[in-house]
Amino acid sequence: MTIFNEKIDRLKTSSVKWELTKEIFGEADLWPMWVADMDFKPPQAVIDAIKNRVDHGVFGYTFVPPSAAGALVDWLLKRHQWKVNPSWLLYCSGVVQAISAAIQSFTEEGDRVLLQSPVYTPFFEMIKKNNRIVVNSPLTLVNEKYEIDFASFEESLQQGCKLFLLCSPHNPSGRVWTRDELLKIGELCLKYNCLILSDEIHSDIIYKDFKHIPIASLSSDLSERVITLMAPSKTFNLAGLQASAAMIKNEGLRNQFHETLSRQGVFSLNTFGMIGMEAAYKEGEAWLKELIDYLQENKEFVLNFLKEHLPEISCVKSEGTYLLWLDCRKLNVTDDELRQLLIEKGKLALEPGTKYGPGGEGFVRMNIACPREDVKEGLARLKRALE
Ligand SMILES: Cc1ncc(COP(=O)(O)O)c(C=O)c1O
């Protein structure tokens, strides 16, 4: 039997997903399929490594040891065929913190920063909170699959964008960008001298027949113009440990990023973050393989359920991530009505599509990283909400 069927009570652990629905959705005790973490334990090796460190009992200042950098670098080579030198690495607590630090490092107030909606909400927020201007080149949905409108993308770059925030793989849709798409993005960004910040936090959960390619790995020109962000948090469910890494080959850019972190007083990782990260990358591969198989089955379960019981809802083709982007536009209800039905009738918390910017209207995002029985419960509530 798979370990992923085990139901773990997360109440009274200060779980955002399970304990903050009142604050976020206005109602307590909603069935939570919203924020992007999993209801699974990480690989046992991660738990053991942290327990060993706890048993040591002294928690003074720590530095990130070369063995942790080595574990990440080996992972990137093995999993993504990307050769990274440990000297390119800089650490941040979270990827969102790194996004903000990159915006501060590589742009000035009033500069334009490009993104592609619908996209992960903090992309917009970090640009705006840093007093930069959002330039949006929306993705286009063709046959239930997001595509890049390269004419619009080029027009946006012509407005003088300094930085492009790429979400690869794409949250909320789970699109895994192809080599050709990434090459075209790279070619245009190089042409218009726009740096690329590639958020690859979802890069390890990729379904059969698809392949994640780090955009920085595509050419030596690109490797000099890309800042890549990765973390073990989505892959191994370690978001609470707050550990992520930026990979920056270009020394000048790396120094600029380092300077921003120093200014913020960021000097190391949380001790448990770095221990969890090292153990996960060293020993988590077999666990991850099993996880992806389980998620693939969850996904198929949802797709079959929708086909049978809620045929008006379609799911955008998901190639990676544990997030499903459900197209509810055929229900002919407004976003407010949909939200109300889900919360009041279904007692179900899904992320409203409007959070992801233009193009998100009429969609909801469902997190399927939970035991199958919990997916079934969520789907029953979805059906009840819409009956
Ligand atoms: C694309 C993307 N980037 C960053 C994050 C969050 O990263 P962190 O928790 O490390 O700040 C998420 C979480 O869902 C995400 O989807």
Side-chain angles (χ1 to χ4, degrees):
M1 197 185 86
T2 167
I3 49 171
F4 300 110
N5 276 335
E6 185 192 353
K7 176 141 177 77
I8 300 165
D9 183 358
R10 295 183 63 190
L11 292 174
K12 304 205 181 102
T13 63
S14 304
S15 157
V16 168
K17 187 180 186 177
W18 285 84
E19 296 178 63
L20 286 192
T21 60
K22 172 101 178 106
E23 287 73 3
I24 306 294
F25 294 88
E27 261 201 51
D29 302 327
L30 298 180
W31 194 251
M33 299 179 91
W34 60 296
V35 71
D37 74 15
M38 308 199 260
D39 294 326
F40 306 131
K41 286 186 189 168
Q44 190 57 39
V46 173
I47 298 172
D48 291 343
I50 291 174
K51 271 189 181 162
N52 279 340
R53 189 63 182 80
V54 169
D55 286 344
H56 179 267
V58 179
F59 307 115
Y61 288 115
T62 46
F63 59 90
V64 182
S67 54
L72 173 54
V73 163
D74 289 350
W75 179 266
L76 294 174
L77 185 61
K78 188 161 181 212
R79 210 159 173 89
H80 303 302
Q81 294 72 54
W82 184 27
K83 198 166 176 357
V84 167
N85 190 307
S87 67
W88 304 354
L89 297 179
L90 292 169
Y91 302 99
C92 284
S93 55
V95 165
V96 174
Q97 183 199 22
I99 294 169
S100 185
I103 291 169
Q104 290 164 23
S105 304
F106 308 120
T107 66
E108 307 277 336
E109 289 205 6
D111 278 348
R112 292 179 158 75
V113 181
L114 178 60
L115 51 67
Q116 297 166 305
S117 76
V119 78
Y120 182 53
T121 319
F123 277 28
F124 294 91
E125 289 170 352
M126 291 304 118
I127 298 171
K128 289 185 196 155
K129 282 182 196 289
N130 282 297
N131 300 322
R132 274 66 167 173
I133 297 164
V134 174
V135 176
N136 183 16
S137 169
L139 295 168
T140 44
L141 194 55
V142 183
N143 297 330
E144 294 179 350
K145 179 171 161 183
Y146 279 105
E147 292 189 355
I148 298 169
D149 174 348
F150 280 106
S152 142
F153 190 73
E154 182 159 12
E155 271 167 34
S156 304
L157 287 168
Q158 283 164 347
Q159 294 179 33
C161 296
K162 294 274 172 58
L163 185 65
F164 165 48
L165 305 189
L166 170 65
C167 196
S168 173
H170 179 245
N171 172 9
S173 76
R175 197 54 238 285
V176 178
W177 305 113
T178 62
R179 176 180 297 271
D180 284 349
E181 286 167 321
L182 294 168
L183 280 171
K184 185 85 184 144
I185 288 171
E187 183 196 321
L188 289 170
C189 288
L190 289 174
K191 179 172 170 191
Y192 292 98
N193 201 20
C194 177
L195 286 174
I196 299 170
L197 178 75
S198 189
D199 178 343
E200 302 188 9
I201 195 170
H202 290 284
S203 58
D204 292 318
I205 296 179
I206 305 291
Y207 295 116
K208 205 166 135 285
D209 300 332
F210 299 97
K211 169 105 186 96
H212 171 74
I213 303 172
I215 188 168
S217 72
L218 283 176
S219 72
S220 57
D221 283 348
L222 272 173
S223 70
E224 298 288 343
R225 304 293 291 162
V226 176
I227 298 98
T228 307
L229 305 179
M230 296 237 184
S233 45
K234 300 291 153 196
T235 316
F236 298 105
N237 203 26
L238 305 179
L241 296 187
Q242 290 276 290
S244 69
M247 280 130 267
I248 312 176
K249 181 179 178 202
N250 183 282
E251 195 181 350
L253 297 178
R254 192 164 66 242
N255 289 342
Q256 271 173 270
F257 191 80
H258 184 252
E259 181 52 33
T260 304
L261 294 182
S262 309
R263 215 177 312 128
Q264 294 171 352
V266 177
F267 298 111
S268 186
L269 281 181
N270 174 293
T271 306
F272 295 110
M274 79 197 186
I275 285 175
M277 177 163 96
E278 177 169 345
Y281 285 135
K282 269 191 181 149
E283 299 181 66
E285 198 179 10
W287 178 95
L288 179 60
K289 186 179 174 310
E290 207 183 314
L291 172 78
I292 293 172
D293 289 346
Y294 191 82
L295 292 173
Q296 178 109 30
E297 287 170 19
N298 272 1
K299 184 172 83 164
E300 274 152 27
F301 188 89
V302 174
L303 299 184
N304 288 333
F305 184 95
L306 292 179
K307 216 182 277 169
E308 191 175 337
H309 300 284
L310 294 165
E312 323 72 50
I313 299 182
S314 56
C315 181
V316 170
K317 277 186 191 118
S318 133
E319 303 170 343
T321 82
Y322 49 75
L323 309 166
L324 296 182
W325 187 235
L326 304 181
D327 185 346
C328 303
R329 290 175 299 176
K330 289 208 191 107
L331 294 172
N332 282 324
V333 291
T334 66
D335 285 288
D336 281 345
E337 286 163 346
L338 181 57
R339 185 185 161 86
Q340 209 172 344
L341 286 171
L342 293 173
I343 294 173
E344 289 175 17
K345 253 182 102 186
K347 303 283 176 210
L348 175 64
L350 301 178
E351 293 280 17
T354 45
K355 261 184 82 171
Y356 300 84
E361 305 83 1
F363 288 78
V364 288
R365 194 191 75 173
M366 175 183 271
N367 175 350
I368 56 163
C370 54
R372 185 111 357 106
E373 288 306 312
D374 286 4
V375 172
K376 287 183 191 167
E377 174 66 27
L379 289 170
R381 288 172 184 239
L382 182 63
K383 185 161 171 265
R384 199 180 316 142
L386 302 176
E387 255 162 10

